[in-house]
Amino acid sequence: SGLFGAVFFLGVDSFALLFGVFGGVILTGLMMASFVRKAGIYTVPSFFEVRYRSRFIGVIAGLCVMLPTGLFALAELSIIKIVGPMILGVSAEISLVVIFVVAMLIILPGGVRSMGWAQCGLAIVVVLGLIIPLVIVSMQLTNLPIAQLTYGSLIDDIEAFKSVRSVAEVNAHEVWSGLFLDEKHAVKLPFLTGEAGLGAASKFSLMVIIALGIASMPALVMRAGVTSGVFQARKSYAWGAALIGLLILTLPAYGIFLRYMIFNPEMKIVLSNLPEWISVLDGAGFFQVSDLNGDGEILAEEILLSRDGAFVSFPFMVGLNGTMQSLCFATIMAAALASFCARVMTFGKLFAFDLNIRKSEIESDVGGQAVMIWT
């Protein structure tokens, strides 16, 4: 949802984030998977420990990994806390308990392998949840089902809508800061902002930083250790890159369609008869409307969305029925659950292998394998 929020608010300036994630998965497959698999280990700290034959280096690397892993886990729990009540029909606290129990049922039977199979199923839910609503909306707006190839035809219409509705533009750097703080603000930047937002050097630097960060993610590297060989390890990351590629092609279409519905003059939200879903999203902190000019109607510049609220608002704004709304929420829930399981497993590996002070000395054959990697 965070990536979609960036695409929605920033347009093409956010593509550096998407390409960074895509490049990070490719880097993991090319530069990390083979070495981790040959060493027969699961985490980067363990690899450093084996490679340099130093318990101290492994512990320090494990401590460095804990903070970002914990922050990721908290971010996923916050998403589950918000979306959970919409899916399960219970309070946010009970939703967290239910998801935690489900995560344990996924992880405990078989560790990384059982988590991997469960995540395959969750990935199918995510793909279907992204594609099916998009096809429906694409048929409504463009009369064609392949939204990834046709959404560009609406960009000129959106710009024409903005000129009619007198939407003032803002500085792109203000929007960037608002995304990091998850503040609610209106959509005012053109989708094709380009160099007006970030320079080419800044975009390239951002892409490289994101790619290196993704490539070193413990939850991503861990998957190489459970494959049957180096080729299979790299093949699994190739499938992951294909999934991320589909995401990169899909998110801009979602962003354009949501922009189209917000700026379309035919879509009017009357202040005296606000839809119920606005109150729901407002209560969750995602959505806010205010009649700034006092005309009784809510215009585009009077609709305030948060970064994570953009995707949650999509099924309501485009008029999807209850089934499709539930599918969109299930997509968010499935992605958050899969990611949360990976963070829990990462913590388990850290405490069991990397930060375990009672861990025995590294076996000579494992050390020999690690040395052979570099010969």
Side-chain angles (χ1 to χ4, degrees), residues 4 7-9 130-155 157-158 161 187 191 249-264 267 305 310-311 313-320:
F4 174 74
V7 173
F8 173 66
F9 284 108
L130 285 175
I131 297 300
I132 294 177
L134 190 64
V135 169
I136 294 174
V137 178
S138 179
M139 290 295 294
Q140 293 175 349
L141 299 181
T142 67
N143 296 321
L144 294 172
I146 308 177
Q148 294 86 347
L149 302 179
T150 60
Y151 68 83
S153 62
L154 299 179
I155 294 179
D157 294 335
I158 294 173
F161 293 161
V187 187
F191 192 84
L249 294 175
T250 302
L251 287 184
Y254 268 98
I256 286 295
F257 289 163
L258 184 55
R259 281 179 174 237
Y260 183 88
M261 298 306 297
I262 288 178
F263 289 113
N264 190 346
M267 181 192 172
L305 293 169
F311 189 79
S313 304
F314 178 83
F316 299 110
M317 295 290 293
V318 299
L320 294 177

Side-chain angles (χ1 to χ4, degrees), residues 83-92 94-95:
V83 181
M86 300 180 182
I87 294 293
L88 304 176
V90 296
S91 66
I94 296 179
S95 298

Side-chain angles (χ1 to χ4, degrees), residues 56-362:
F56 176 76
I57 292 178
V59 171
I60 294 300
L63 292 174
C64 293
V65 166
M66 287 188 66
L67 179 60
T69 301
L71 293 176
F72 267 110
L74 291 176
E76 284 132 15
L77 286 176
S78 65
I79 295 174
I80 293 172
K81 184 178 180 181
I82 295 171
V83 181
M86 300 180 182
I87 294 293
L88 304 176
V90 296
S91 66
E93 291 73 18
I94 296 179
S95 298
L96 291 177
V97 174
V98 171
I99 292 302
F100 185 80
V101 171
V102 172
M104 292 301 101
L105 292 176
I106 290 174
I107 294 173
L108 293 180
V112 179
R113 290 186 184 275
S114 63
M115 181 192 69
W117 282 109
Q119 287 184 334
C120 289
L122 293 172
I124 293 174
V125 175
V126 172
V127 171
L128 294 178
L130 285 175
I131 297 300
I132 294 177
L134 190 64
V135 169
I136 294 174
V137 178
S138 179
M139 290 295 294
Q140 293 175 349
L141 299 181
T142 67
N143 296 321
L144 294 172
I146 308 177
Q148 294 86 347
L149 302 179
T150 60
Y151 68 83
S153 62
L154 299 179
I155 294 179
D156 291 338
D157 294 335
I158 294 173
E159 296 303 315
F161 293 161
K162 290 172 63 176
S163 63
V164 171
R165 304 184 77 163
S166 301
V167 177
E169 296 182 4
V170 296
N171 189 296
H173 297 288
E174 297 178 5
V175 181
W176 274 105
S177 62
L179 289 176
F180 284 110
L181 298 175
D182 199 17
E183 299 174 344
K184 292 189 289 293
H185 47 80
V187 187
K188 296 185 177 180
L189 285 175
F191 192 84
L192 301 177
T193 301
E195 299 296 332
L198 288 177
S202 298
K203 292 178 183 177
F204 180 77
S205 300
L206 180 62
M207 182 176 63
V208 171
I209 292 172
I210 296 295
L212 294 177
I214 294 296
S216 60
M217 284 179 61
L220 191 60
V221 175
M222 180 171 54
R223 302 175 188 279
V226 298
T227 56
S228 58
V230 174
F231 174 77
Q232 287 74 15
R234 288 177 172 171
K235 184 178 179 180
S236 67
Y237 289 103
W239 280 108
L243 182 61
I244 296 299
L246 177 63
L247 181 70
I248 290 176
L249 294 175
T250 302
L251 287 184
Y254 268 98
I256 286 295
F257 289 163
L258 184 55
R259 281 179 174 237
Y260 183 88
M261 298 306 297
I262 288 178
F263 289 113
N264 190 346
E266 296 181 0
M267 181 192 172
K268 296 182 180 180
I269 300 177
V270 182
L271 189 62
S272 60
N273 188 24
L274 291 178
E276 183 180 355
W277 60 265
I278 290 182
S279 300
V280 175
L281 296 182
D282 189 9
F286 286 149
F287 198 98
Q288 180 181 340
V289 294
S290 56
D291 188 11
L292 300 178
N293 57 10
D295 63 353
E297 294 184 358
I298 304 301
L299 303 179
E301 62 268 25
E302 298 170 333
I303 297 176
L304 305 182
L305 293 169
S306 67
R307 176 197 62 212
D308 295 331
F311 189 79
V312 178
S313 304
F314 178 83
F316 299 110
M317 295 290 293
V318 299
L320 294 177
N321 59 30
T323 301
M324 290 298 102
Q325 292 175 13
S326 298
L327 182 58
C328 290
F329 297 145
T331 301
I332 302 175
M333 180 68 79
L337 175 59
S339 185
F340 179 69
C341 288
R343 312 306 166 194
V344 173
M345 183 58 68
T346 299
F347 273 116
K349 295 298 182 184
L350 286 174
F351 285 109
F353 294 96
D354 304 320
L355 303 179
N356 187 357
I357 61 175
R358 295 180 179 273
K359 181 180 178 182
S360 61
E361 295 295 328
I362 304 172

